[in-house]
Amino acid sequence: MAMDPKRTHSVKLNDGHFMPVLGFGTLTSEGVPKSKAAEATKVAIDAGFRHIDAAYVYENEVEVGKALREKIADGTVKREDLFYTTKLWSTFFRPELVRPALERSLKKLQLDYVDLYIIHIPIAMKPGEELMPKDANGKLILETVDLRDTWEALEKCKDAGLTKSIGVSNFNRKLLEMILNKPGLKYKPVCNQVECHPYLNQSKLLEFCKSKDIVLVAYSALGSQRDPNWVEKDCPILLEEPILKAIAKKHNRNPGQVALRYQVQRGVVVLAKSFSEKRIKENFQVLEFELTPEDMKAIDGLNRNFRFFKLPFAVDHPYYPFSEEY
């Protein structure tokens, strides 16, 4: 049977659509101009990336959308070759706000549809124009919206053709089960996008997701940029891990490529974020080599359940996802 060349490096989602196994992340760090995201997105598409991971809260969809449209206009790709993900931010979880939030993203992007719309984190915040609504004491104002109601609104976005697929992010097993066991569920989440790297390899969550035909998508797969708003200063530097360095040397690759390849080989869709042209090209080359079973086992052995992205402001929220084992 001939493989469809477009689909070789894709996984089939539980709704029949295909997702490329390598994605390009568009989040810009503090102090980096938004135009950088546009430039990097164009470089990524030229390098071969077709899966672009973005979000409303990144506040750069105008720039990223422009980059996509330029690459379509110059004939590099067709719209249907691209897989674009955006995310529903926490201030729009009330069911009546879900579709308008997606329509805002589409308007910024100047696209007719996205390929994937996901719930960014399971924690709702006070609705309004503020992305991070705070009270007089500077504390984030959270609220509780039943995620099953939010999910129903996402299902309607899919039915309306505004998104091809719908999924979740930063969900644990309990929250996934809450959606999967929802009476009258129309569509299962196609994916759960979570922090995942050799120090937090999510093996139990991965096994659970596979058993439900939900794709695990890895963010912070190269460790994390050290954004002081989200990440503690003294956290370990994944790419300086001696075992990764040794395996990389053996294959004539770099530690980042090994960390990405590790995910691909365990059936995880992996996002890579870089704004350097050299790195972007290197990151796409992970489809060109293979790790041995011994390499994989050695990397599995690095797991220490270390989380960069902990959502400390939501620890007391009923849907806080990180207090359970997985």
Side-chain angles (χ1 to χ4, degrees), residues 278-314:
K278 178 175 174 286
R279 284 268 183 258
I280 291 170
K281 289 177 174 159
E282 286 171 353
N283 289 345
F284 196 74
Q285 289 161 4
V286 304
L287 300 171
E288 296 168 10
F289 75 104
E290 211 167 324
L291 297 169
T292 67
E294 296 75 47
D295 295 336
M296 293 295 289
K297 215 172 149 183
I299 300 170
D300 278 336
L302 294 173
N303 186 51
R304 48 172 101 162
N305 295 320
F306 179 85
R307 209 179 272 287
F308 290 99
F309 185 70
K310 296 190 182 87
L311 303 177
F313 57 82

Side-chain angles (χ1 to χ4, degrees), residues 7-59:
R7 302 280 177 242
T8 345
H9 300 302
S10 298
V11 288
K12 191 174 187 179
L13 303 173
N14 64 36
D15 64 358
H17 291 293
F18 287 85
M19 176 192 274
V21 296
L22 274 185
F24 178 73
T26 60
L27 172 64
T28 31
S29 315
E30 288 273 311
V32 176
K34 305 282 178 224
S35 58
K36 274 272 185 276
E39 282 312 304
T41 301
K42 288 193 279 190
V43 169
I45 291 171
D46 287 335
F49 282 93
R50 295 295 174 262
H51 173 173
I52 310 294
D53 181 79
Y56 182 80
V57 79
Y58 300 167
E59 296 186 276

Side-chain angles (χ1 to χ4, degrees), residues 122-136:
I123 313 294
M125 296 178 194
K126 182 185 137 210
E129 289 306 310
E130 284 290 317
L131 289 175
M132 299 295 249
K134 295 186 170 95
D135 65 15

Side-chain angles (χ1 to χ4, degrees), residues 94-233:
R94 294 183 186 178
E96 68 278 10
L97 302 178
V98 171
R99 179 169 174 164
L102 176 51
E103 286 170 338
R104 277 184 183 208
S105 277
L106 289 169
K107 195 176 172 188
K108 286 175 188 281
L109 292 159
Q110 295 184 37
L111 295 176
D112 301 326
Y113 68 91
V114 297
D115 296 274
L116 177 62
Y117 198 37
I118 61 184
I119 297 177
H120 202 145
I121 51 174
I123 313 294
M125 296 178 194
K126 182 185 137 210
E129 289 306 310
E130 284 290 317
L131 289 175
M132 299 295 249
K134 295 186 170 95
D135 65 15
N137 302 317
K139 200 170 168 293
L140 276 172
I141 308 167
L142 308 181
E143 56 168 34
T144 308
V145 176
D146 190 323
L147 289 169
R148 290 165 292 200
D149 298 336
T150 308
W151 185 254
E152 223 161 270
L154 264 87
E155 292 178 326
K156 292 192 174 112
C157 291
K158 177 172 161 74
D159 282 335
L162 298 177
T163 182
K164 302 272 188 199
S165 300
I166 50 177
V168 297
S169 179
N170 296 299
F171 274 43
N172 61 13
R173 174 181 179 153
K174 203 161 83 184
L175 293 171
L176 285 170
E177 283 178 331
M178 185 172 98
I179 302 288
L180 293 171
N181 298 332
K182 179 180 111 58
L185 180 73
K186 191 167 182 187
Y187 304 115
K188 291 193 334 188
V190 296
C191 69
N192 183 21
Q193 185 183 129
V194 295
E195 176 179 341
C196 185
H197 43 74
Y199 290 158
L200 179 74
N201 71 23
Q202 300 279 21
S203 56
K204 287 189 169 159
L205 187 58
L206 175 58
E207 199 180 333
F208 176 74
C209 286
K210 281 182 174 173
S211 76
K212 301 292 179 192
D213 199 16
I214 294 170
V215 171
L216 194 107
V217 180
Y219 73 76
S220 291
L222 301 168
S224 173
Q225 46 166 36
R226 301 173 138 52
D227 182 338
N229 297 321
W230 300 97
V231 175
E232 292 151 18
K233 287 185 286 295

Side-chain angles (χ1 to χ4, degrees), residues 34-101:
K34 305 282 178 224
S35 58
K36 274 272 185 276
E39 282 312 304
T41 301
K42 288 193 279 190
V43 169
I45 291 171
D46 287 335
F49 282 93
R50 295 295 174 262
H51 173 173
I52 310 294
D53 181 79
Y56 182 80
V57 79
Y58 300 167
E59 296 186 276
N60 57 14
E61 289 196 292
V62 168
E63 291 79 2
V64 172
K66 191 164 170 285
L68 299 180
R69 292 196 319 280
E70 282 177 23
K71 289 281 113 198
I72 292 167
D74 73 10
T76 308
V77 285
K78 296 188 178 72
R79 171 65 187 93
E80 56 271 24
D81 299 332
L82 292 171
F83 187 100
Y84 181 88
T85 300
T86 191
K87 307 184 189 90
L88 175 70
W89 185 239
S90 304
T91 49
F92 303 105
F93 282 11
R94 294 183 186 178
E96 68 278 10
L97 302 178
V98 171
R99 179 169 174 164

